[in-house]
Amino acid sequence: MPELRKDPILGRWIIIAQERGKRPTDFMVEEYKVKGGFCPLCPGHEKTTPDEVLVYGRNEGPANSSGWQTRVVPNKYPALVIEGELEKQGEGLYDRMNGIGAHEVIIENPSHEKTFAALSPEEMIFTFRAFRDRIRDLAQDERFRYVMVFKNFGKAAGASLEHSHSQLVALPIVPRRVSSELEGSLSYYKYKDRCIFCDIIRQERQQDIRRVCENDYFVTITPYAPRSPFEMWIIPRYHHSNYAAQDENSLQALTDIFSESLRRLDACIPNAPYNFVLHTQPLRSPQLDHYHWHFEIVPKLTSIAGFEWGTGFYINPMPPEETCKYLKEVEL
């Protein structure tokens, strides 16, 4: 019997279609091959990208030279541009503004061949530090209200370059998806005087049927109403709404659990395409008692078609309790 599950934060419904049940080996994943050829993100090609805005690991040498560990550059073909003013206008009942923002590429490692999951925690931490430091810097621009951080891995997930990288987009508005989370969590807080994310963590740790792994600072769960098989959320165990406020100890713990979570996914379904997205509070917002920053990792293992677009429902062939079991029991 299929099962309908409701996301407690967004109110979104998910169909768990267990009659379509699968094992990890049943998912068709395109073989990951490094084709090589010219890559603008590789060391030695720094002059082919816009000038870097942040770099870690280069001990000597001029800006935009090799010898770096992680490098952040403006996107050569940005979705939004940083120069100009918003100039909000109305056209009857319609609203418009100029496409002002920032669009940056985080080149996570010098190696062209290494996937993000294959990075050591010592290599991976630079990426999470870059997210934090760029959000802090962009928050000083009063035109921006939110910074979206995301990664596309694999062709099915929208990756257009082989070299492992993630992206960051500063926006003059708060995205509707984030606003809905903020509204849903505030509604819960007004009713129960507690953060819904803190309650989720408490219940998942007690039940231990959707908890993949944890450390002193973070827990990885398969959410109760997942959009995709093997979807995972990485959530701080202690309440905080602002990713940019993390200290180095928290960054190290995040790197450790993120590395473990991706390696568990990779062991279940090698080179599964996925997107991960950072959800955090709007820029310059005070600490929010009702909201909890977190990462969502969503593998692209099922297709989105007419039913999903028409209803907003997602059909998932595997319940999260089952995918959690696979993720927990796999040998790393």
Side-chain angles (χ1 to χ4, degrees):
M1 175 70 68
E3 182 178 76
L4 280 160
R5 292 193 182 190
K6 186 179 181 181
D7 183 298
I9 302 166
L10 295 171
R12 175 182 60 204
W13 286 92
I14 304 296
I15 298 174
I16 305 293
Q18 296 189 59
E19 78 281 3
R20 303 184 185 186
K22 293 177 178 286
R23 298 172 179 269
T25 52
D26 293 334
F27 290 101
M28 300 296 292
V29 175
E30 184 177 339
E31 184 180 359
Y32 182 78
K33 289 184 178 180
V34 178
K35 298 176 182 177
F38 178 80
C39 173
L41 307 186
C42 278
H45 300 158
E46 289 80 7
K47 297 300 182 183
T48 66
T49 69
D51 290 346
E52 63 200 28
V53 294
L54 181 68
V55 67
Y56 298 130
R58 186 190 294 125
N59 296 321
E60 57 184 21
N64 301 302
S65 63
S66 56
W68 46 271
Q69 178 64 40
T70 297
R71 188 168 178 257
V72 183
V73 300
N75 194 307
K76 198 169 185 177
Y77 306 103
L80 300 170
V81 297
I82 202 164
E83 299 85 6
E85 298 301 326
L86 293 173
E87 298 181 7
K88 297 180 181 179
Q89 303 174 40
E91 291 187 12
L93 61 90
Y94 305 112
D95 296 308
R96 61 181 292 180
M97 68 179 81
N98 287 332
I100 302 301
H103 190 173
E104 299 175 359
V105 176
I106 297 91
I107 310 168
E108 299 152 351
N109 190 264
S111 172
H112 186 89
E113 291 78 17
K114 272 191 175 182
T115 65
F116 192 62
L119 296 180
S120 69
E122 292 74 25
E123 294 171 314
M124 190 180 287
I125 192 172
F126 289 108
T127 298
F128 294 107
R129 187 178 294 141
F131 295 164
R132 180 196 65 184
D133 293 348
R134 290 306 300 147
I135 292 172
R136 287 178 176 177
D137 184 57
L138 290 163
Q140 299 177 53
D141 192 320
E142 293 291 334
R143 298 172 300 170
F144 303 153
R145 295 190 59 197
Y146 193 82
V147 175
M148 176 62 68
V149 172
F150 64 96
K151 178 177 176 63
N152 307 328
F153 173 72
K155 186 176 179 181
S160 56
L161 291 171
E162 286 183 343
H163 197 124
S164 187
H165 66 285
S166 40
Q167 298 181 64
L168 173 155
V169 180
L171 299 161
I173 55 175
V174 178
R176 184 61 203 161
R177 173 71 169 77
V178 177
S179 295
S180 296
E181 271 193 351
L182 291 165
E183 292 163 6
S185 58
L186 180 59
S187 176
Y188 184 92
Y189 185 85
K190 287 179 176 178
Y191 179 62
K192 294 195 173 182
D193 200 28
R194 300 193 305 270
C195 167
I196 189 170
F197 291 94
C198 292
D199 278 2
I200 287 171
I201 292 168
R202 188 177 299 111
Q203 179 166 327
E204 295 300 346
R205 296 187 73 225
Q206 289 173 351
Q207 291 184 329
D208 199 24
I209 56 174
R210 289 176 293 269
R211 178 176 57 168
V212 177
C213 55
E214 70 173 73
N215 59 27
D216 290 342
Y217 287 78
F218 295 92
V219 61
T220 297
I221 65 168
T222 54
Y224 177 75
R227 294 155 287 183
S228 168
F230 293 91
E231 178 176 346
M232 292 182 282
W233 292 6
I234 299 177
I235 315 176
R237 284 178 52 185
Y238 305 102
H239 185 88
H240 214 295
S241 60
N242 186 7
Y243 175 85
Q246 285 194 103
D247 60 20
E248 286 299 312
N249 289 333
S250 179
L251 279 178
Q252 184 61 65
L254 172 63
T255 301
D256 291 342
I257 199 166
F258 216 107
S259 176
E260 179 179 347
S261 301
L262 286 182
R263 285 186 290 117
R264 289 186 180 280
L265 173 62
D266 200 49
C268 286
I269 308 176
N271 298 311
Y274 66 83
N275 304 106
F276 75 59
V277 180
L278 169 64
H279 293 240
T280 186
Q281 68 180 37
L283 298 178
R284 296 175 297 280
S285 169
Q287 168 76 4
L288 302 176
D289 292 335
H290 63 276
Y291 190 68
H292 212 119
W293 75 261
H294 60 286
F295 276 96
E296 298 183 8
I297 304 171
V298 185
K300 288 300 180 71
L301 301 172
T302 55
S303 58
I304 305 299
F307 176 80
E308 290 82 1
W309 288 120
T311 62
F313 288 22
Y314 291 81
I315 300 177
N316 184 344
M318 292 184 72
E321 297 79 15
E322 187 175 337
T323 58
C324 182
K325 189 171 183 291
Y326 282 117
L327 289 163
K328 287 175 75 169
E329 294 179 356
V330 74
E331 290 188 15
L332 296 182

